[in-house]
Amino acid sequence: MWKREQKQSVGNQCLVSNRTLNTWKEAMPMDDEAGSELHSADAEQNSEPMSEEMLRNAYHLSRLRSSSVEIREKGAERLKEELAKAQRELKLKDEECEKLSKVREQLEQELEELTASLFEEAHKMVREANTKQATAEKKLKEAQGKIDVLLAEVTALKTLVITSTPSSPNRELHPQLQIPSKAVFKKGHGRNKSMSNAIVTATTQNSQLQPINKDGREINLILYDEFLAWKEEPTLDKVCPFLERIYQEDIGPCLSFAKHELTEAVQAAVESNTLSIEPAVVQALPVVKASAIECGGPKKCALSGLSRTCKHRIKLGDSGSYFYISPSCRSRITAVCNFLTYIRYIQQGLVRQDVEQMYWEVMKLRKEMSVAKLGYYTEES
């Protein structure tokens, strides 16, 4: 009886272990070989009752498999924790990299701004240096122009300087050689000459200080266009329209005298700038034989042939002949010489004036020639 009960309890245990094993098999899939063995063992168990040793082995195997499942779960949890930790570290590194990239961008921006400011400062310094250089060059050019003008004026004055030599002394430079003239007294009130000269000088200075009054004159467009065309390429050729008109209207009539042969020589000397004019003073001392031959006389003009008081004489180039001329002829020759001298200065680039100022100066010189060719002259001539 006891054995029968023991067999029943063993059978019940086998059934429980089989159920547990089947449940564990359903919950945990196994490999193909283990599954085939278990299937074969199940088949054998279903067909034959399992022994106690086999049940124990199966029980121990189930416990081993359950422990391996626990190990796997713990390993998976640990891997998940390590993964989460690695992700947190990566996130921190990403944030740090982002901060560093922002710092780098800020430094690059500051560096660009600094470079731009340096370049701007350098360009500013270069501009200032160029401006100063241009100003200095302009001042230097103006100074050189003034020097050239002064040199040209000195050269022009040298051609008109009256030399004084022992053979032909200049009485204006040596007053002791002049004859003391008798003073002519007139009735009535006489003005002090020094005072009148002072008044004239003051008036002249005031007129020079006053601005040029442009009222009462108007530009002749035809003459102005001709002057502009000549100013582009200044020349002394008579063929150009500008000089051709002036030669026909002013220079030709102004240098037209009664003595035709001497007139042509005077025109040639004026054009070549080789004519010189000097005062003719009657010598009171014993006459010294001069190397030059004097034509005409103090009372007769060599150009007009009229009996006039000749206060000046001319010399043509390097010739040794002097020709006495009247004040009117001297005024006409001087007017033409002044015009040609100014034209030469413009051609040489010595005149630093506006085109309009040059034009009006030319018109002023033409006006003087027009007045002189009509016979008008001042007493100082």
Side-chain angles (χ1 to χ4, degrees), residues 14-30 38-39 42 45-46 58 61-63 65-66 69:
C14 289
L15 293 172
V16 172
S17 62
N18 288 330
R19 290 175 183 174
T20 304
L21 183 60
N22 291 328
T23 304
W24 181 80
K25 284 169 64 179
E26 292 176 358
M28 292 296 296
M30 295 179 297
L38 289 174
H39 283 296
D42 291 336
Q45 288 176 3
N46 291 328
L61 183 61
S62 65
R63 290 186 64 184
R65 291 185 182 278
S66 63
V69 170

Side-chain angles (χ1 to χ4, degrees), residues 299-315:
K299 298 296 182 178
K300 185 176 182 180
C301 179
L303 288 173
S304 63
L306 300 176
S307 298
R308 296 287 185 272
T309 302
C310 300
K311 299 180 181 180
H312 295 83
R313 62 182 182 176
I314 60 174
K315 182 180 178 181

Side-chain angles (χ1 to χ4, degrees), residues 253-267:
C254 200
L255 295 180
S256 179
F257 302 102
K259 303 296 182 179
H260 298 290
E261 294 181 359
L262 185 58
T263 297
E264 294 178 358
V266 169
Q267 290 180 358

Side-chain angles (χ1 to χ4, degrees), residues 120-348:
E120 185 178 358
E121 189 69 22
H123 286 303
K124 184 179 179 181
M125 293 174 65
V126 170
R127 285 196 300 270
E128 291 178 355
N130 291 334
T131 303
K132 291 181 180 179
Q133 183 180 1
T135 304
E137 290 178 354
K138 183 179 179 181
K139 290 182 179 179
L140 177 61
K141 189 175 181 180
E142 291 177 354
Q144 289 179 350
K146 291 180 180 178
I147 292 172
D148 294 338
V149 172
L150 292 175
L151 289 175
E153 290 179 355
V154 169
T155 305
L157 290 174
K158 283 182 179 179
T159 59
L160 301 177
V161 167
I162 305 167
T163 58
S164 178
T165 59
S167 60
S168 59
N170 183 5
R171 297 183 180 277
E172 289 187 356
L173 297 178
H174 302 280
Q176 68 274 12
L177 300 178
Q178 296 181 2
I179 301 173
S181 59
K182 297 180 179 181
V184 179
F185 296 96
K186 297 181 179 179
K187 295 181 180 181
H189 178 71
R191 180 180 295 177
N192 190 353
K193 187 175 181 181
S194 61
M195 291 296 293
S196 62
N197 290 335
I199 294 171
V200 172
T201 305
T203 306
T204 306
Q205 291 179 354
N206 291 333
S207 63
Q208 291 178 354
L209 293 176
Q210 291 179 357
I212 299 173
N213 185 11
K214 294 186 178 181
D215 295 336
R217 66 182 185 183
E218 183 179 355
I219 293 178
N220 188 327
L221 295 179
I222 297 176
L223 301 180
Y224 188 70
D225 292 339
E226 291 179 355
F227 175 74
L228 289 179
W230 176 83
K231 181 66 174 61
E232 294 294 329
E233 296 180 358
T235 179
L236 297 179
D237 192 1
K238 302 178 184 179
V239 180
C240 66
F242 172 68
L243 290 180
E244 183 180 5
R245 178 189 294 274
I246 295 176
Y247 267 95
Q248 291 178 357
E249 296 179 358
D250 299 319
I251 297 178
C254 200
L255 295 180
S256 179
F257 302 102
K259 303 296 182 179
H260 298 290
E261 294 181 359
L262 185 58
T263 297
E264 294 178 358
V266 169
Q267 290 180 358
V270 169
E271 292 176 359
S272 60
N273 197 19
T274 58
L275 184 142
S276 60
I277 304 176
E278 63 182 36
V281 181
V282 179
Q283 297 182 359
L285 296 178
V287 179
V288 180
K289 186 176 181 181
S291 59
I293 301 173
E294 297 181 352
C295 300
K299 298 296 182 178
K300 185 176 182 180
C301 179
L303 288 173
S304 63
L306 300 176
S307 298
R308 296 287 185 272
T309 302
C310 300
K311 299 180 181 180
H312 295 83
R313 62 182 182 176
I314 60 174
K315 182 180 178 181
L316 306 179
D318 296 331
S319 65
S321 301
Y322 287 99
F323 300 93
Y324 286 88
I325 57 175
S326 63
S328 175
C329 295
R330 188 252 182 188
S331 177
R332 292 161 68 177
I333 294 173
T334 304
V336 176
C337 290
N338 291 337
F339 173 80
L340 293 178
T341 301
Y342 187 72
I343 291 298
R344 291 190 188 97
Y345 285 169
I346 295 176
Q347 183 193 18
Q348 297 172 5

